[in-house]
Amino acid sequence: MDIKNGFVATVGNTPLIRLKSFSEETGCEILGKAEFLNPGGSVKDRAALYIIEDAEKKGLLKPGGTVVEGTAGNTGIGLAHICNAKGYKCLIIIPETQSQEKIDTLRTLGAEVRLVPAVPYKNPNNYVKVSGRVAAEMENSIWANQFENLANRNAHYETTGAEIWAQTEGKVDGWVAATGTGGTYAGVSMYLKDQNPKVRCVVADPMGSGLYSYVKTGEIKSSGNSITEGIGNSRITGNMEGAPIDDAIQIDDQECVRVIYQLLNQEGLFMGGSVGINVGAAVALAKQMGPGHTIVTVLCDGGGRYQSRLYNPEWLASKGLAI
Ligand SMILES: Cc1ncc(COP(=O)(O)O)c(C=O)c1O
């Protein structure tokens, strides 16, 4: 019998999908790790599970306890599902600029949701810092702290990275992904480099994020902005520290949207915005490396979470991104 033991056992082991139109266009194999097929709908289910199980193993999270986190949405959704499945409470602090779909989903899942103004990380009222303070003041609670908690990247080292290596039978030349916490990028890069130091590991970055300039010049500097959610950063998180980085590729929103609609119309894949940055960067990396290479990236979440924005022509036009 092939039966999964509940939500928790259903996280991970996602398919690796060949993106036909992008592969044909570049003469490379462009492969997307189908993280939108996780039971909570995103790549963040893996980090959420590892963070909770790490706290359980360390005796920090006790029955009836509360998991507190500051999140742009997907980590909160993963945590809320796992808290329900394991009998914990979940409290999420989220910037009010995030999509209504994600906020509504969190509430439907039973999480307590507190909206806070979107302010930069250096501001003490930034959502991440608020979540740390709230957790510190609450009895029987843990702060998931996904940006600094290395259980996050361990999830991707032990599962996502290992799965990609096994699924390609070690035939992977390039790995490219945008970073939010950096858990996915760092964990996978570290695993792949441990198997074969020649795998080219490249950070994909949206406009408005400082990592592209950091990789190119050593200085964190950003310009412009992006409609994408959950990615981009203006600091080196604990999860990114020590991660191998061979190069960085910047993708603007116009290219991101073009890629998203190619995924929808030619591949049949209904994807979230960060996937447009990832696949756009995979195509750029394929062009740099030349035909015959295998490039892997992540399909982080599905498009349903962005219906009112990315898939709303009027909203896109209001951002100067008419399709
Ligand atoms: C839609 C989406 N894509 C990409 C990421 C980035 O993943 P990571 O935090 O592992 O860098 C996130 C993180 O929240 C996300 O929500």
Side-chain angles (χ1 to χ4, degrees), residues 41-44 47 71-76 98 102 127 146-147 152-153 156 177-186 228-233 237 239-240 272-275 278 298-302 305-306:
S42 89
V43 66
K44 302 303 301 200
T71 157
N74 280 331
T75 304
Q98 298 303 297
K102 284 194 284 196
Y127 70 108
Q146 58 170 334
F147 288 90
N152 173 358
R153 81 176 182 200
H156 295 287
T179 75
T181 65
T184 311
Y185 174 83
T228 57
E229 296 177 31
I231 55 172
N233 219 325
T237 63
N239 275 288
M240 277 302 276
S274 67
V275 180
N278 282 352
V298 211
L299 311 178
C300 311
D301 66 358
R305 280 176 191 172
Y306 310 91

Side-chain angles (χ1 to χ4, degrees), residues 136 209 219 234 240:
S209 172
E219 200 188 338
S234 56
M240 277 302 276

Side-chain angles (χ1 to χ4, degrees), residues 107-130:
R107 292 204 163 117
T108 301
L109 293 174
E112 182 184 338
V113 180
R114 291 191 199 162
L115 296 177
V116 294
V119 293
Y121 184 73
K122 58 179 187 293
N123 186 316
N125 292 323
N126 172 272
Y127 70 108
V128 175
K129 291 183 178 158
V130 173

